[in-house]
Amino acid sequence: MIREALPGDAQAIARLIILAMDDLSVKFTGSSDPNEAIALFERFAAQPGNQYSFENTLVYEDEQGVCGMINAYDGAGLHNLRAPFLDDLYKTYGIKHNPDDETEPGEYYLDCVSVASDRQGQGIGKKLIQAMIDYAKQRKYYITGLLVNKDNPKAEKLYSALGFKVVKEKDFMGGKYFHMQHQAACE
C-alpha cells in the first residue's frame, strides 16, 4: 500500500534515503560512513517544513513494514525547504554547503526515491514514481522533474520508460546529471 508518510516513519525513511543517496550522503556529514548520516536524515524526516520531511514523502508499506519511499515537493520552494537542513549541517557538523539548485519553479521535484535492497525488482519503485506523479497532478502540478546520474544508465532507462525526457544536463555536488521531466496531461 502507498500512503502519505507519518513522523513515525522517519527511521525507515532515513535508511531508504541513505540507500538512494549512497556516496552523496557522506558529503553532508563529512564522514566516510553513510550510516553516520542516518541520524541526520531521521531527524529531518520526522520534522515538518524541510525538503526531507514526512510531509513531502509517500511510503510503500506491506506486511513487513515500510520498504519504499519517494520524496517530492514544489521546485519553487527549494530554498525555503533546504534552509533548515543546510543550517543544521553547519551548526552540527561545521560544514557549510551551498549546493546548486537541483530543481526550479514550474516543476514538482522528485528528490529521492528508494526501495529496500531485498525488495528491489518487484516494481515498487515504479509504483511510487507513478503515485507521486498522480499526487502532484492532484495538486495541479503537471510537470514532475528529477535528476539522474549520467553514470546510471539503468535508472535513466527506467525513468524514460515512465515517460520522463531529458531536458538538460546539470552539475550537482560534484556529479554530472541529466535533468529529466515528465509532462502529465492537464485536466
Side-chain angles (χ1 to χ4, degrees):
M1 154 178 94
I2 296 175
R3 62 171 174 79
E4 292 181 343
L6 303 168
D9 298 319
Q11 184 177 32
I13 291 168
R15 292 187 181 283
L16 290 164
I17 289 173
I18 299 301
L19 179 65
M21 286 189 179
D22 195 28
D23 293 342
L24 189 58
S25 66
V26 298
K27 291 182 180 182
F28 290 124
T29 62
S31 168
S32 60
D33 181 5
N35 291 318
E36 289 191 28
I38 289 175
L40 169 70
F41 286 102
E42 188 173 335
R43 191 168 64 251
F44 277 91
Q47 295 175 11
N50 71 83
Q51 72 188 104
Y52 300 109
S53 173
F54 68 92
E55 295 173 317
N56 302 319
T57 305
L58 299 178
V59 295
Y60 185 96
E61 183 177 39
D62 63 14
E63 64 281 345
Q64 296 173 359
V66 173
C67 59
M69 60 77 63
I70 189 166
N71 170 269
Y73 44 83
D74 178 355
L78 174 65
H79 293 269
N80 289 336
L81 292 170
R82 182 191 272 172
F85 184 75
L86 294 179
D87 289 345
D88 185 83
L89 292 180
Y90 183 67
K91 289 175 186 167
T92 305
Y93 303 99
I95 298 173
K96 188 153 183 87
H97 286 283
N98 189 18
D100 296 324
D101 291 350
E102 66 248 54
T103 184
E104 56 199 36
E107 77 175 1
Y108 206 73
Y109 182 66
L110 306 183
D111 191 303
C112 186
V113 61
S114 183
V115 176
S117 300
D118 65 337
R119 303 301 303 279
Q120 293 177 4
Q122 299 176 18
I124 295 170
K126 287 180 186 177
K127 289 176 185 173
L128 283 164
I129 293 165
Q130 189 57 57
M132 190 58 85
I133 290 170
D134 294 343
Y135 185 86
K137 188 175 173 180
Q138 290 169 8
R139 284 152 184 76
K140 307 296 184 210
Y141 296 96
Y142 298 101
I143 297 174
T144 50
L146 54 83
L147 294 184
V148 62
N149 193 307
K150 290 177 73 173
D151 294 331
N152 192 346
K154 185 177 175 183
E156 182 190 353
K157 184 177 179 182
L158 167 70
Y159 297 130
S160 293
L162 292 170
F164 286 84
K165 296 184 183 350
V166 174
V167 294
K168 60 184 160 188
E169 295 183 17
K170 194 177 248 328
D171 292 334
F172 181 67
M173 291 194 72
K176 303 278 187 194
Y177 293 84
F178 290 119
H179 184 174
M180 301 182 77
Q181 291 183 331
H182 179 280
Q183 174 76 49
C186 297
E187 295 177 349

